[in-house]
Amino acid sequence: MTVKTRFAPSPTGFLHVGGARTALYSWLYAKHMGGEFVLRIEDTDIERSTQEAIDAILEGMEWLGLEWNEGPYYQTKRFDRYNEVVDQLLAQDKAYKCYAPKALLDEIREEQMAAGDKPRYDANHPKVVAANTEATESSPFCIRFRNPKEGTVVFDDKIRGHIEIANSELDDLIIRRTDGSPTYNFCVVIDDWDMGITQVVRGEDHINNTPRQINIYEAIGAPVPEFAHCSMILGDDGAKLSKRHGAVSVMQYRDEGYLPQALLNYLIRLGWSHGDQEIFSMDEMIKLFSLESISKSASAFNTDKLLWLNNHYIKTAEPEYVAEYLQWHLDAKSIDTSNGPSIIEVIKLVGERCNTLIELAEQSRYFYQDFEEFEAGAAKKHLRPVAKEALELALSKAESLQDWTTENLHQLIADTCSDLELGMGKVGMPLRVAVTGQGQSPSVDAVMALLGKDKVVTRIAKALNFISAREANA
Ligand code: GLU
């Protein structure tokens, strides 16, 4: 049988890291098995579902590169189908109309609690029986699934192992509300059946729903899929991950300068392992992933590790890949790269020093934009009258340099040092501040090579003016 998995978010908010990890695991399992992956939007809760959240989920999935083979399906477009199955279950007496009004059920619940019993719906409660017998054609009703009274529901969760629950613990679930809308536990089963889902990977908050859903699968004669319930993600303080811990929306990680590859690598390790390996290419993730190796215990989020991975991918990923995501940040900072070197070359030179794409965009700026001012501390220290001679000599050598390469610029700096009998720092640092505006940059010969002759010549001249002005004011 072809493996088919799905991710089925409720569009009540953005795609958060917990959802993204579930989506990743589900997607990876399908890929690993050569199967298919379905995206389904569970929007039956009309009050809480929004188009904005749907868009945010799709945007997050796309940004992460978790492509789906089918969908997105929308539950709100499938009401006819759900009703068809409800009618079938009614005809087979596997479901029934329940006329007991909510107020009455609340009252019974109170009584049960006061008596120290577990509150639950009881179809045989005299008040419920009475409500049902007194009801007329026009009385409002909901539809309940007739849960088996005897026996146990058993399943082997791929993560949590053998799970068993007695049917006596489960009450007759509402499958269609009084207003005619179908409920989550019912829709999910019909969808997973119709869509041919073979493995359901989802959060552990759904584990209590699973036995109820298995009974529905059996009642409609559908094959029961396998289940894998993933544990929670905690913040680094041990509390359930929430907004309080900073970024939880996947798109916020984009905004903060992470590469999707880094986030995916981070997420796969958040509750899954393969020995002590930390770095996984997409191909390795797909090849090595298994549901059985997902951890049962909760995992704690660690931003430092995510940063470390991000730096790793900025350094080692194909520069073309980094460029694709860096461009978004350059645009956000209005850095126009058309009048400077290729951003691929800038990434190769500057990338390894940066933990985020925001830093990388900032460190790319001086290749494309002239700066108004030199960084104050660096200028104070390195653009001093003593540096004038070195800068003047370097400028004249630069003006006459024909072949503008890193090697030749390296030689130019070395010659300036030996001509003036100065150490490397006395020439290199003033030059660095002159051409980049700041005290730190990659190797200054390589930076000058990429900047090009025009920018270098203009900027050294500007630094010399700066020194003269400083002298005049002294
Ligand atoms: N819509 C549910 C949620 O967002 C997931 C249901 C499922 O995966 O079965 O929590």
Side-chain angles (χ1 to χ4, degrees):
M1 190 166 37
T2 318
V3 160
K4 208 165 173 194
T5 64
R6 50 40 161 213
F7 177 51
S10 305
T12 53
F14 44 65
L15 180 63
H16 54 79
V17 289
R21 186 189 61 169
T22 304
L24 172 66
Y25 286 173
S26 186
W27 182 88
L28 280 174
Y29 187 69
K31 293 275 161 193
H32 176 76
M33 299 300 288
E36 304 220 307
F37 177 67
V38 174
L39 179 62
R40 180 171 77 225
I41 304 292
E42 303 207 320
D43 54 353
T44 48
D45 185 343
I46 294 162
E47 302 265 284
R48 293 178 61 222
S49 301
T50 64
Q51 186 58 43
E52 209 184 340
I54 294 174
D55 295 342
I57 290 167
L58 299 181
E59 190 185 24
M61 293 291 284
E62 278 161 14
W63 182 74
L64 286 170
L66 301 179
E67 286 159 9
W68 48 95
N69 303 95
E70 274 180 38
Y73 292 110
Y74 294 88
Q75 288 188 323
T76 43
K77 299 207 175 123
R78 290 177 41 81
F79 278 18
D80 288 350
R81 170 64 180 148
Y82 305 137
N83 279 325
E84 183 180 270
V85 185
V86 169
D87 289 343
Q88 213 169 298
L89 288 175
L90 280 173
Q92 296 168 334
D93 197 33
K94 291 177 177 171
Y96 60 92
K97 294 178 180 173
C98 171
Y99 293 90
K102 185 170 176 303
L104 176 66
L105 296 177
D106 287 345
E107 183 187 312
I108 296 174
R109 176 179 293 268
E110 295 285 321
E111 286 169 12
Q112 288 168 329
M113 292 203 293
D117 295 333
K118 194 172 154 193
R120 62 213 311 258
Y121 171 81
D122 175 7
N124 295 320
H125 191 286
K127 289 182 182 171
V128 175
V129 174
N132 280 322
T133 16
E134 283 157 22
T136 65
E137 276 295 292
S138 61
S139 310
F141 62 88
C142 68
I143 300 196
R144 287 184 184 268
F145 174 65
R146 209 181 281 289
N147 197 77
K149 298 284 165 286
E150 310 290 323
T152 50
V153 185
V154 177
F155 67 103
D156 284 303
D157 190 274
K158 300 295 262 180
I159 300 170
R160 326 191 87 79
H162 188 80
I163 295 178
E164 240 183 272
I165 180 142
N167 273 318
S168 56
E169 295 288 315
L170 306 173
D171 50 16
D172 291 349
L173 187 80
I174 297 179
I175 56 175
R176 192 166 73 196
R177 298 182 190 89
T178 311
D179 67 7
S181 62
T183 57
Y184 157 71
N185 273 304
F186 182 68
C187 300
V188 105
V189 170
I190 309 310
D191 287 347
D192 285 338
W193 177 33
D194 285 352
M195 294 167 198
I197 301 303
T198 53
Q199 275 78 19
V200 169
V201 181
R202 61 184 171 198
E204 69 175 350
D205 46 332
H206 288 290
I207 204 151
N208 291 335
N209 290 322
T210 308
R212 301 170 176 284
Q213 293 175 9
I214 291 175
N215 281 333
I216 301 178
Y217 279 104
E218 284 170 351
I220 59 180
V224 180
E226 288 186 308
F227 294 93
H229 289 92
C230 308
S231 300
M232 274 198 300
I233 301 181
L234 307 176
D236 24 25
D237 58 356
K240 190 171 187 239
L241 191 69
S242 70
K243 275 194 195 144
R244 200 161 46 77
H245 296 96
V248 279
S249 148
V250 163
M251 296 321 286
Q252 200 174 329
Y253 287 95
R254 175 199 59 187
D255 298 353
E256 292 184 3
Y258 291 90
L259 284 168
Q261 173 69 40
L263 188 57
L264 290 171
N265 193 150
Y266 181 74
L267 290 176
I268 193 179
R269 283 285 295 107
L270 201 57
W272 176 88
S273 57
H274 180 74
D276 51 12
Q277 186 172 339
E278 288 294 354
I279 307 282
F280 296 87
S281 67
M282 284 322 280
D283 286 348
E284 275 177 311
M285 286 191 198
I286 292 170
K287 190 163 139 238
L288 300 171
F289 186 74
S290 72
L291 294 173
E292 286 83 359
S293 313
I294 298 176
S295 159
K296 251 195 262 194
S297 26
S299 331
F301 204 85
N302 176 341
T303 308
D304 289 341
K305 186 168 166 196
L306 175 58
L307 264 181
W308 171 76
L309 279 166
N310 205 42
N311 170 261
H312 169 83
Y313 283 105
I314 292 177
K315 265 192 321 215
T316 60
E318 290 294 330
E320 288 75 12
Y321 170 80
V322 179
E324 193 183 326
Y325 296 94
L326 176 63
Q327 191 60 53
W328 188 88
H329 293 277
L330 294 168
D331 292 344
K333 291 178 181 298
S334 307
I335 300 175
D336 171 9
T337 56
S338 62
N339 66 344
S342 125
I343 69 170
I344 302 291
E345 297 307 318
V346 174
I347 291 167
K348 285 190 201 157
L349 186 61
V350 183
E352 66 176 323
R353 314 166 69 89
C354 302
N355 285 333
T356 69
L357 297 175
I358 294 192
E359 285 172 37
L360 183 49
E362 262 327 311
Q363 288 303 316
S364 308
R365 190 187 285 278
Y366 62 79
F367 287 100
Y368 305 105
Q369 289 178 355
D370 288 329
F371 38 89
E372 292 298 315
E373 279 170 12
F374 299 99
E375 198 181 276
K380 187 163 179 231
K381 194 156 165 211
H382 301 292
L383 298 185
R384 290 188 296 163
V386 287
K388 221 170 151 178
E389 208 182 3
L391 286 176
E392 274 164 358
L393 184 57
L395 176 60
S396 77
K397 286 184 193 291
E399 276 167 338
S400 56
L401 184 66
Q402 292 302 324
D403 196 8
W404 194 262
T405 63
T406 304
E407 293 71 35
N408 289 345
L409 287 158
H410 181 79
Q411 194 57 49
L412 180 151
I413 297 170
D415 291 348
T416 309
C417 292
S418 63
D419 290 357
L420 300 175
E421 293 181 5
L422 287 174
M424 202 51 134
K426 295 263 188 286
V427 178
M429 281 312 296
L431 266 181
R432 167 171 288 125
V433 181
V435 301
T436 67
Q438 55 193 47
Q440 287 190 338
S441 79
S443 177
V444 70
D445 45 12
V447 169
M448 296 200 322
L450 264 193
L451 274 168
K453 190 167 179 171
D454 286 352
K455 285 196 181 76
V456 168
V457 164
T458 319
R459 290 181 189 179
I460 298 177
K462 184 174 156 187
L464 284 165
N465 287 339
F466 175 87
I467 298 176
S468 304
R470 194 170 162 178
E471 275 178 315
N473 287 338

